[in-house]
Structures are given as structure tokens and as C-alpha cells.
Amino acid sequence: MSVCIKDLIQNMNLVVGCDIGCAYCYARCNCRRFHITDDFSVPEFFPQKLRLMENRTAHNWLLTGMSDLSGWRNEWREAVFSKMAENPAHNYLFLTKRPERLDFSCDLESAWFGVTVTSAAEKRRISDLRTHIRTKHYHVTFEPLFDDIGEVDLRGVGWIVIGTETGRRRGKAVSRIEWVRSLTAQAHSLGIPVFMKEDLLPIMGEENMIQELPAEFTRVLEEQ
């Protein structure tokens, strides 16, 4: 049976806000709905949440659920990396849509850096990620999948996630099964695990759903 990715990877929203302005952004909607910050287009750092990393139970954490890593100030990033180094039992995931704006190295085994790719026009982000962030673990999220991505260069990538658009936006895109299968086949040819998000269930059917995790993430879940 398909599982929700939020049951496997928890959000730690250390930074809230993003100035990219995607029409389909659920984080902006949640920020307004729950009045988290005054202006979502201006990222805010909440350093008090760093204490969550001190949890003795290992977790898989997504640190950019309501932000884009490219919008973080350097001092925020350094503070987060320092706390991560003190608490290596967890896995820490980051995402960006603008890897070309970043330039740093991170040698932490627990850090996973990724890009969001929604269309064929954006797949250069994957090579930009490898160029601008020099690290040990990469991942790619194809969500929401707006068109056929085509051939992608997944060298060095350790995990991919695929999902369709959710919510009730007028003109909402619906992913096609052949687009998902193409990305899955390319990843599997390189031995890369694939996770189809639960929102793909109506498109793929339960019998075609694939929800694989990197071994590092599975280890944490087993410890939990």
C-alpha cells in the first residue's frame, strides 16, 4: 500500500519564505492561511528550531519545506551546517530551484542537496546543482511534473522523487503515466531509487506505484 512521504520525511521549517513566486506554491498558501510570517516573499530564519536536531531519535528531515535554499543567507546556512555536524544521526534534505545562485562545499555524510525540476526546460538545474554545490549526496524532485522531461543526466544522483500538482489551482496540470515511467526507467538503469508520491496514485494505480528510499533513509526509519 502506498505511503505518504511526510510519514517518512518530516519538515523542519528553519526558514519560512521564498521570493520565486511559483503559481502552484503550497508553502505560500500555508504561510498566509496560518499567518506564519507577515510577508512570504521575504525569508525569515527561526534559529530556535535548531534544537529539533538534538532529538535522540534519528529522523529524515526536510529543511526547505517552506523555503528555497538559494534564499538563505550565508550565516543562516553556516549555523545550520554547524548544528548538523553536531547531530549526524539524522539525514538532512535541502531543495532549490536556483542552484546557479549557490556556491559552496559540504562534506557532511548526512546532508542531501537537491533541485526541483518541473519541465524539460528546467533539467539543466541538475548539472548546475553538481557544479555549484560540491557534496556527497544529491537528489532530484520532479514535482509537479508538467511535461515530458525527456532524457536526463542523473549521474551522481542518489534518489529521485516524482509527483503531480496538488491543490485546486485553476488550470492545474495533471502528469501523465508515460512521463513518470520514463523517469523511473532512466533512474533504475543507474540503480537510483525512485519514490512516487502518493498524489500519483490515481494516475499510476496501486499496482504501478514505486516508493523506494535510499538505504540511509531506510536505516533511520528502522531505528525509529
Side-chain angles (χ1 to χ4, degrees), residues 9 23 55 80 87 168 183 213:
I9 300 175
N55 193 316
V80 172
N87 298 274
R168 300 180 179 178
L183 291 171
L213 296 171

Side-chain angles (χ1 to χ4, degrees), residues 29 32 55 67 77 82 88 94 112 115 124 133 175 183 191 214:
C29 294
R32 291 174 177 173
N55 193 316
S67 65
R77 191 176 71 229
S82 177
F94 300 85
W112 289 70
V115 287
R124 181 178 176 180
I133 301 179
S175 304
L183 291 171

Side-chain angles (χ1 to χ4, degrees), residues 168-182:
R168 300 180 179 178
R169 183 176 70 92
R170 181 176 297 178
K172 182 177 75 171
V174 178
S175 304
R176 296 183 182 177
I177 190 170
E178 59 265 29
W179 304 344
V180 178
R181 284 177 169 168
S182 174

